[in-house]
Amino acid sequence: PSGEIRTLIGHFGWVWSVSFSPDNSTLLASSSSDNGIILWDSENGTRRHTLIEHSDMVLCVAFAGNGRTLASGSRDKNIILWDIESGQPLRTLGGWFSGHSELVNSLAFSPDGSLLASGAWDKNIILWDMPTGKHRRTLKSHSDWVYSVAFSPDGQTLASGSRDEKIILWNVSTGKPRRTFNGDSGLVDTVDFTPDGRLLAGGFLNNNIIFWDLDSGEIVANLKGHSERVNAIAFSPDSKLLASASRDQTIVLWDVATGNPIRTLKGHQERVLSVCFSPDGQFIASGSADGTVKIWPVPL
């Protein structure tokens, strides 16, 4: 079946971000312009917790690798760490001197859970030490808003995509840029590494998705299938599939090896803002400006 299995209704605004817990294939977090985060049991569609602490729209959520902590970033410029069991805030990162001065647009935990990266409209990326929440380093090279951050599977490289039309690969241990990619496709909405560490993908304003080979730095594929900007991308755990979410209200599932589209998922009534795979690779979750989260089966 190509239709969704389930639609999760509970937000009162655009759903900006969705994220599955890495150690629990049914626990899903979604964040919204209603200032809230919902923790769902995606299997039966029930709510486990509603997390209300931010004072403005929550633009991004990310689970730590152990699945016990959730990070959220907001237009209120704050990052909050949450305890998943209790649904209570553990700590707020940032503040006037150590945090971001503009909205926080993207979050990513390092694979070993020791770092959290945050990207913001102040053009900066901050690396935070976990679990202390201390500011470790600010990465400055972008000349415009940072839209997306992602760690490589070995945790040694961070990729960032920006409105300045560049993707920068950073050396995590030194904080220095390693390489810059320019796809000539306009601003970069989203970046992600394949779990096997071979490829980097970027999703762009001009509707395209570009794959780079990380060894050679060469472009190996340019995927064209969306009719409007690509808002989010996610690789399946086995690196064989890519899901892309677009302003054109669809999600396209791609074969990574061939670059061909496998299926287009249609069901959202508005732009699709976020997409992620469950850790077992059997489901996709999507969040949309229509206020819903949808759960889709991954076709075999």
Side-chain angles (χ1 to χ4, degrees), residues 229-244:
R229 73 190 285 173
V230 178
N231 289 322
I233 54 175
F235 283 103
S236 61
D238 63 6
S239 302
K240 292 180 178 173
L241 299 173
L242 178 82
S244 57

Side-chain angles (χ1 to χ4, degrees), residues 170-181:
W170 306 83
N171 181 320
V172 171
S173 57
T174 66
K176 299 283 189 285
R178 279 189 168 146
R179 181 186 272 165
T180 300
F181 292 132

Side-chain angles (χ1 to χ4, degrees), residues 114-125:
S114 66
L115 290 174
L116 175 70
S118 57
W121 280 20
D122 61 11
K123 310 173 192 173
N124 295 335
I125 298 148

Side-chain angles (χ1 to χ4, degrees), residues 130-191:
M130 294 290 119
T132 65
K134 293 282 191 295
H135 178 289
R136 179 185 286 190
R137 181 175 282 125
T138 300
L139 311 182
K140 298 172 178 270
S141 265
H142 283 296
S143 59
D144 212 328
W145 303 343
V146 178
Y147 276 129
S148 183
V149 289
F151 277 96
S152 61
D154 65 8
Q156 293 175 21
T157 303
L158 183 80
S160 58
S162 168
R163 194 184 182 196
D164 66 12
E165 307 188 5
K166 292 184 176 68
I167 295 172
I168 297 177
L169 297 186
W170 306 83
N171 181 320
V172 171
S173 57
T174 66
K176 299 283 189 285
R178 279 189 168 146
R179 181 186 272 165
T180 300
F181 292 132
N182 189 331
D184 298 319
S185 296
L187 67 82
V188 189
D189 271 312
T190 175
V191 291

Side-chain angles (χ1 to χ4, degrees), residues 33-229:
S33 53
D34 63 15
N35 306 359
I37 300 154
I38 298 176
L39 296 181
W40 306 89
D41 185 320
S42 63
E43 199 167 37
N44 57 29
T46 57
R47 285 192 208 207
R48 294 197 184 177
H49 291 293
T50 302
L51 313 181
I52 304 287
E53 189 76 14
H54 285 291
S55 61
D56 207 331
M57 59 176 66
V58 187
L59 298 166
C60 48
V61 286
F63 278 97
N66 62 14
R68 292 196 287 271
T69 305
L70 182 79
S72 58
S74 168
R75 196 164 74 173
D76 67 14
K77 307 171 192 170
N78 289 329
I79 299 160
I80 296 177
L81 301 181
W82 304 85
D83 178 84
I84 292 307
E85 278 305 305
S86 67
Q88 295 301 308
L90 295 167
R91 176 178 281 121
T92 299
L93 308 185
W96 193 250
F97 298 109
S98 64
H100 288 291
S101 60
E102 296 279 352
L103 64 81
V104 180
N105 214 30
S106 182
L107 293 167
F109 280 98
S110 61
D112 66 0
S114 66
L115 290 174
L116 175 70
S118 57
W121 280 20
D122 61 11
K123 310 173 192 173
N124 295 335
I125 298 148
I126 295 178
L127 296 180
W128 307 88
D129 268 311
M130 294 290 119
T132 65
K134 293 282 191 295
H135 178 289
R136 179 185 286 190
R137 181 175 282 125
T138 300
L139 311 182
K140 298 172 178 270
S141 265
H142 283 296
S143 59
D144 212 328
W145 303 343
V146 178
Y147 276 129
S148 183
V149 289
F151 277 96
S152 61
D154 65 8
Q156 293 175 21
T157 303
L158 183 80
S160 58
S162 168
R163 194 184 182 196
D164 66 12
E165 307 188 5
K166 292 184 176 68
I167 295 172
I168 297 177
L169 297 186
W170 306 83
N171 181 320
V172 171
S173 57
T174 66
K176 299 283 189 285
R178 279 189 168 146
R179 181 186 272 165
T180 300
F181 292 132
N182 189 331
D184 298 319
S185 296
L187 67 82
V188 189
D189 271 312
T190 175
V191 291
D192 199 15
F193 290 92
T194 48
D196 62 15
R198 289 178 44 247
L199 299 174
L200 175 77
F204 290 87
L205 176 67
N206 78 342
N207 320 343
N208 292 351
I209 300 156
I210 295 175
F211 286 174
W212 283 269
D213 181 287
L214 286 168
D215 286 334
S216 68
E218 299 295 314
I219 291 176
V220 292
N222 190 339
L223 313 185
K224 300 172 187 278
H226 285 294
S227 61
E228 294 195 56
R229 73 190 285 173

Side-chain angles (χ1 to χ4, degrees), residues 7 11 13-15 267-273 287-294:
T7 300
H11 284 296
W14 290 19
V15 179
H268 282 296
Q269 303 301 308
E270 248 284 5
R271 65 193 71 180
V272 190
L273 298 165
S288 167
D290 65 15
T292 70
V293 177
K294 290 185 183 290

